[in-house]
Amino acid sequence: MSQIVRPYGDTTGDGMVQLSFTLPISSIGDLAKVADGAAVQLANKMGMDPALVVHSKPMGEGFTFFVVYGRVNHLVDVSKVEVVERDYPLLTPKEANAAIKRALRRRLVVVGGCIGTDAHTVGIDAILNIKGFAGEKGLEYYREVKVVNLGAQVSVPQLVDRARQEKADAVLVSQVVTQRDAHLLNTREMSAAFRESYPAGKRPLLVVGGPRFDEAMAADLGVDRVFTRGTTPGDVASYLVHRLTTDRPDRKAS
Ligand code: B12
């Protein structure tokens, strides 16, 4: 079924949207009006018409930040949006612990970190550290999960070595910096290294996360699952339990 919607609209049926961006243009003194005009021109070319600059602020030398408000008449077809559905049940920590105990009869081992030069550890810590994220405790809180958090700037060989040493069931990698597609390149390098270092079908579950990943890219990146913005520790724990206690009986023996 097709569901066509438009941005929040007025009585004419057109929708009003707000957009922010920075242009490499000065807006100091007499240049302010020219800068605003440039922002309106860009907004017009993007399909906003009329467009109104509601905020502009110089951002250092030669740059200006703009907020533009205006009318668009594009329609969006909600039925064409593709999402990766959650295909596992959400468990409480108690349920997750019980399932691990029952199926593995040992603790589930997770090794995690940020690879490459990435030093943004807040995301992986949100998932792993006991204090957790969004009101949920992190994986360290789960009695039946052993967490080895390697922190920032872990090289791929270091990650593979530690995963082997710990007999990791799952490896969790965070990538936040996406300049020049570093997150994609690093992830592919990581998954290739695991493929080479383990016998076929025996590698740990590979999970990557970060705010700018596309969840639909797991197969392309050679990993089992991609998590993005807003992921909570409970999402990840539930996924790991589902995959490691239901889908992969080969991993049950210690
Ligand atoms: C804090 C921060 C820093 C701190 C990091 C401190 C630390 N210990 O982490 C410091 C100051 C060190 C820093 C440095 C830099 N930063 Co910085 N930083 C940020 C900032 C403000 C917040 C990031 C953050 O903590 N988010 C909160 C967490 C909770 O969100 P999250 O990472 O998305 O994680 C969630 C999900 O994505 C997911 N998730 C994430 N990882 C994983 C992993 C797994 C396995 C799973 C399941 C889920 C998961 O779960 C989390 C919870 O929901 C962002 C801007 C922003 N507002 O996002 C810039 C930002 C990420 N930084 C940026 C840049 C450019 C840099 C520097 C290169 C700046 C410089 N020129 O030096 C350096 C790089 C340092 C390095 N070597 O990596 C850019 C990245 C641009 C890009 N797309 O590539 C950003 C976007 C700022 C910007 N707009 O330009 N930064």
Side-chain angles (χ1 to χ4, degrees):
M1 193 182 72
S2 171
Q3 189 194 353
I4 307 290
V5 295
R6 69 182 82 246
Y8 185 72
D10 59 15
T11 48
T12 67
D14 289 336
M16 305 304 287
V17 296
Q18 189 165 292
L19 176 70
S20 64
F21 52 84
T22 300
L23 287 180
I25 187 168
S26 175
S27 57
I28 295 167
D30 290 346
L31 297 172
K33 286 185 180 167
V34 176
D36 281 6
V40 167
Q41 203 181 97
L42 177 63
N44 287 157
K45 287 186 174 172
M46 294 170 81
M48 279 171 84
D49 193 13
L52 183 70
V53 175
V54 289
H55 176 72
S56 64
K57 191 170 167 41
M59 302 285 288
E61 207 161 302
F63 289 87
T64 305
F65 173 76
F66 300 93
V67 178
V68 179
Y69 179 73
R71 184 185 305 279
V72 292
N73 56 17
H74 309 291
L75 302 175
V76 289
D77 186 348
V78 178
S79 68
K80 294 215 168 95
V81 177
E82 287 177 17
V83 292
V84 175
E85 300 283 354
R86 179 167 55 77
D87 52 0
Y88 52 90
L90 277 183
L91 306 175
T92 63
K94 205 171 160 193
E95 290 167 334
N97 284 329
I100 296 168
K101 216 169 174 178
R102 204 169 43 242
L104 300 190
R105 292 190 292 276
R106 60 170 173 78
R107 292 172 88 198
L108 186 154
V109 181
V110 170
V111 171
C114 301
I115 57 170
T117 59
D118 208 325
H120 293 88
T121 49
V122 181
I124 189 78
D125 287 346
I127 304 300
L128 297 181
N129 284 3
I130 194 161
K131 70 176 191 251
F133 180 71
E136 291 183 12
K137 300 274 193 203
L139 300 192
E140 283 176 354
Y141 172 77
Y142 291 65
R143 206 185 46 239
E144 299 299 329
V145 179
K146 177 183 177 190
V147 174
V148 180
N149 187 348
L150 301 177
Q153 301 191 329
V154 182
S155 74
V156 167
Q158 267 176 315
L159 184 71
V160 175
D161 281 355
R162 193 61 187 269
R164 292 181 69 101
Q165 198 184 317
E166 299 286 346
K167 295 194 172 67
D169 295 291
V171 171
L172 269 56
V173 160
S174 181
Q175 287 284 267
V176 174
V177 173
T178 58
Q179 287 160 339
R180 296 195 191 137
D181 280 347
H183 61 313
L184 305 179
L185 299 171
N186 290 341
T187 302
R188 289 196 179 101
E189 184 195 338
M190 183 271 296
S191 62
F194 275 94
R195 260 197 317 277
E196 280 161 24
S197 310
Y198 280 77
K202 295 289 181 191
R203 69 155 171 75
L205 208 61
L206 299 180
V207 177
V208 288
R212 297 211 186 162
F213 274 111
D214 175 350
E215 284 181 316
M217 282 186 78
D220 180 21
L221 296 172
V223 300
D224 297 287
R225 186 87 181 192
V226 175
F227 285 94
T228 60
R229 257 179 336 117
T231 305
T232 67
D235 290 333
V236 182
S238 302
Y239 169 73
L240 296 180
V241 168
H242 177 70
R243 287 296 311 270
L244 292 164
T245 67
T246 334
D247 291 6
R248 293 186 55 162
D250 58 300
R251 301 283 322 165
K252 283 185 190 170
S254 52

